[in-house]
């Protein structure tokens, strides 16, 4: 990996929101997706990693991300904020269209280098998390699990929670780390993984 410019992570800008397959950008070299159930602090994690306060929109109402939001670094490199599931109050047809788009994106997007899965460390893995594990396994996608809200647990409890998840993901191409969007814990580790996937 070539040496990156200082503060490279601040260079991302919102590019477009994608609601259908035909809107997906073409001529993309590399992209990394950020996934997570609603209410796990996914937008806050993205903002903390990029050191941009409002790059990804945060809301007191969980599930507000309704599209695949593309943030560009230059012309052909992106991070992608995927819709959150679990608390979003939308009708079944909308959820169905999201699901189809997500399926296509994870299965067919050749420029996708890996997935950051944001998880609330206080809660065990849920159905959506296991679905993402399954997608990554089937499609041979590297997975990096970010255990957000680590500040809500003691250090020992946080380490135990990480050890339990490590057991569950031991057979797939994955890694896991502690993170706190509130306290700034784990930022450099996340940036290193992101740079490895986007620029290696």
């Amino acid at each position: 990996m070539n040496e990156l410019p200082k503060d490279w992570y601040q260079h991302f800008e919102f590019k477009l929101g994608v609601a259908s397959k035909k809107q997906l950008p073409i001529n993309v070299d590399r992209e990394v997706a950020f996934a997570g159930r609603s209410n796990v602090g996914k937008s806050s994690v993205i903002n903390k990693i990029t050191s941009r306060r409002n790059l990804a929109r945060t809301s007191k109402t969980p599930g507000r991300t309704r599209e695949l939001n593309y943030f560009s670094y230059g012309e052909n490199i992106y991070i992608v904020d995927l819709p959150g599931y679990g608390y979003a109050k939308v009708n079944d047809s909308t959820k169905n269209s999201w699901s189809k788009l997500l399926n296509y994106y994870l299965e067919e997007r050749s420029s996708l280098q890996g997935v950051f899965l944001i998880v609330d460390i206080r809660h065990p893995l849920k159905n959506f998390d296991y679905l993402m594990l399954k997608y990554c396994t089937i499609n041979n996608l590297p997975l990096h699990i970010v255990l957000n809200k680590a500040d809500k647990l003691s250090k020992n409890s946080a380490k135990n929670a990480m050890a339990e998840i490590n057991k569950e993901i031991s057979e797939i191409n994955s890694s896991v780390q502690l993170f706190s969007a509130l306290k700034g814990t784990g930022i450099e580790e996340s940036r290193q993984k992101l740079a490895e996937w986007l620029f290696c």
Side-chain angles (χ1 to χ4, degrees):
M1 182 169 60
N2 296 327
E3 188 171 341
L4 292 166
K6 184 182 178 183
D7 299 336
W8 63 271
Y9 45 82
Q10 294 183 4
H11 295 181
F12 288 92
E13 300 288 348
F14 177 75
K15 184 74 172 181
L16 78 162
V18 171
S20 65
K21 288 187 268 188
K22 64 183 180 182
Q23 294 176 330
L24 286 164
I26 57 175
N27 299 324
V28 175
D29 290 335
R30 288 171 173 260
E31 59 192 90
V32 170
F34 283 72
R37 290 178 295 109
S38 303
N39 215 31
V40 298
K42 174 164 56 71
S43 295
S44 296
V45 169
I46 293 172
N47 290 340
K48 206 72 179 180
I49 291 172
T50 58
S51 196
R52 297 284 299 281
R53 201 170 172 185
N54 296 305
L55 184 67
R57 290 176 295 174
T58 59
S59 173
K60 292 181 180 179
T61 305
R64 291 297 295 273
T65 303
R66 302 294 173 93
E67 300 174 316
L68 277 67
N69 288 322
Y70 270 74
F71 303 97
S72 63
Y73 180 97
E75 289 298 317
N76 304 312
I77 291 176
Y78 297 90
I79 56 176
V80 186
D81 185 8
L82 304 183
Y85 290 81
Y87 290 89
K89 295 181 179 178
V90 295
N91 58 43
D92 288 341
S93 64
T94 301
K95 285 186 178 179
N96 189 44
S97 65
W98 282 356
S99 186
K100 286 181 178 178
L101 178 58
L102 187 63
N103 290 354
Y104 176 83
Y105 176 78
L106 293 170
E107 292 173 2
E108 305 293 340
R109 196 71 175 161
S110 60
S111 52
L112 182 59
Q113 302 300 307
V115 175
F116 272 60
L117 177 60
I118 316 304
V119 174
D120 186 331
I121 194 171
R122 299 170 296 176
H123 305 295
L125 298 179
K126 306 287 187 182
N127 288 342
F128 174 75
D129 303 317
Y130 285 116
L131 180 64
M132 293 304 300
L133 263 64
K134 181 179 177 182
Y135 271 125
C136 289
T137 302
I138 291 172
N139 296 295
N140 198 29
L141 282 170
L143 176 70
H144 186 63
I145 297 180
V146 176
L147 299 178
N148 192 28
K149 307 188 182 182
D151 56 283
K152 304 294 185 184
L153 298 180
S154 68
K155 287 186 177 180
N156 279 341
S157 296
K159 286 181 180 178
N160 289 338
M162 186 164 70
E164 287 300 314
I165 288 183
N166 260 320
K167 289 179 186 175
E168 295 200 59
I169 64 173
S170 61
E171 296 183 3
I172 66 174
N173 182 9
S174 60
S175 49
V176 60
Q177 70 161 107
L178 299 176
F179 196 97
S180 169
L182 183 65
K183 301 289 187 180
T185 306
I187 294 175
E188 289 307 320
E189 187 176 348
S190 290
R191 286 174 181 164
Q192 185 175 350
K193 178 61 69 174
L194 183 61
E196 177 188 323
W197 286 351
L198 288 180
F199 304 108
C200 188

